Amino acid sequence: MAEPPGDPTPAAIARARQAFLDACRLDVETPKPGNVSERSAGHGMRAAQFLASAEAAAGALFTPGVPVGSRVLDAVARTRDAAGCNTNLGIVLLVAPLAAALENTALPLAEGAWREATESVLARLDLDDARLAYRAIALANPGGLGDAPEQSVHAAPTIALREAMTLAAARDSIARQYANGFRDVFETGLAAWREMPAGEPQLATLHVFLAFLDRWPDSHIVRKQGDAVAHSVTLAARERHTQWLAALRGTGPITFDAHAPFDPFAGFDAWDADLKARGINPGTSADLTVATLFVAGCLAAARAA
């Protein structure tokens, strides 16, 4: 019998917090082209900074009863203290409303109910949430963030956070989640996660990442290098993703290295090095991947509880 929504139990909070930490750990354990991983540092950052950031942000993200904007600002401030740079602004912006929605979702946790609760949380976001989120963005100082014609993050907001995000949704995939109720995470991301074998979390993580990268131009690349570069990376991801899936499934040639045992990650090493040499970081695709891993982890923990 489902428990009614209300004050979350300590066990439920602990499960959600652990799912977040697991998602952040899996993100850097999995080599993803252009992103920082344990296999490959880059962009002046190392995997250890991302793990420290996750630990620092978790306390802020999973404090019951705290508004979304406060969670975002507190998590970013703690991250700056722990890592000294912006490692997880996008992750924090994505996870904060999902974490708040968990507190209003009946147990045992079900995907549909969580999506409905997330929509309710987004609908209730107000001007204070926007002010706090804008302060967090200014504190994180994400690379390449430019001005906008309306509700620029360089000025004080005058509308609620979801309205501001909706204005940016066409040019930013994280903002789009606020506008569409996290549809891309719950649909595109989870579908990709579930396509991989249950016992292969790194393969699933890479598949989710590539699913996002080959579907939309990465917002972080657009901001830093422009539309043309972002579109070229998307096209390359689409081709390489298709080849990789064919090799995994045995339906196509293993084009990565025919003279060595198939390593499902080694085929991306050269592309990873090239992207990093050019300063290209598909960071938004990685952020969406972490949010997907968090959702998948919470749902799995609920089934096991």
Side-chain angles (χ1 to χ4, degrees):
M1 181 176 180
E3 298 175 21
D7 292 336
T9 66
I13 295 171
R15 286 196 298 270
R17 185 182 187 279
Q18 189 58 54
F20 170 72
L21 294 175
D22 290 345
C24 294
R25 174 185 48 77
L26 188 52
D27 173 56
V28 295
E29 285 180 348
T30 305
K32 304 188 307 304
N35 288 159
V36 174
S37 70
E38 292 177 346
R39 181 163 171 158
S40 173
H43 314 294
M45 296 178 288
R46 295 168 288 105
Q49 290 173 287
F50 286 79
L51 295 174
S53 299
E55 289 284 354
L61 290 171
F62 297 98
T63 301
V66 175
V68 168
S70 296
R71 295 181 199 232
V72 170
L73 179 57
D74 192 14
V76 168
R78 295 188 193 195
T79 294
R80 294 289 296 188
D81 290 341
C85 60
N86 169 31
T87 54
N88 64 2
L89 173 63
I91 292 170
V92 166
L93 285 168
L94 290 168
V95 171
L98 291 169
L102 283 172
E103 298 172 19
N104 297 297
T105 307
L107 299 176
L109 180 64
E111 180 183 336
W114 192 3
R115 290 187 69 170
E116 290 177 6
T118 299
E119 178 61 34
S120 296
V121 166
L122 295 170
R124 292 196 301 270
L125 295 174
D126 60 19
L127 180 58
D128 283 341
D129 289 304
R131 288 169 176 156
L132 293 168
Y134 273 40
R135 285 174 56 192
I137 293 168
L139 180 60
N141 191 25
L145 191 68
D147 216 341
E150 296 179 272
Q151 300 300 315
S152 166
V153 296
H154 301 300
T158 59
I159 58 178
L161 181 56
R162 190 181 199 184
E163 294 174 74
M165 289 290 198
T166 299
L167 290 174
R171 62 179 182 273
D172 186 281
S173 296
I174 291 173
R176 188 169 67 241
Q177 306 317 302
Y178 279 70
N180 70 16
F182 282 70
R183 184 170 64 237
D184 301 336
V185 170
F186 280 103
E187 295 180 10
T188 300
L190 278 184
W193 173 264
R194 289 164 176 162
E195 285 173 355
M196 289 291 113
E200 298 287 353
Q202 289 192 27
L203 289 183
T205 299
L206 181 55
H207 184 39
V208 171
F209 171 77
L210 292 170
F212 284 126
L213 187 57
D214 80 12
R215 186 163 300 201
W216 300 286
D218 186 278
S219 303
H220 186 70
I221 300 175
V222 171
R223 285 195 298 270
K224 292 202 73 174
Q225 280 93 10
D227 287 328
V229 172
H231 279 280
S232 72
V233 172
T234 294
L235 292 175
R238 195 168 297 158
E239 179 180 1
R240 292 166 188 263
H241 192 193
T242 299
Q243 292 177 352
W244 179 74
L245 286 173
L248 281 181
R249 294 166 177 166
T251 59
I254 298 175
T255 58
F256 304 128
D257 185 353
H259 303 291
F262 178 48
D263 177 343
F265 304 104
F268 294 103
D269 286 347
W271 191 31
D272 174 66
D274 176 65
L275 290 173
K276 286 171 178 169
R278 293 190 287 151
I280 297 173
N281 178 11
T284 302
S285 300
D287 294 339
L288 290 166
T289 298
V290 173
T292 299
L293 302 185
F294 168 64
V295 170
C298 285
L299 294 171
R303 289 193 296 271

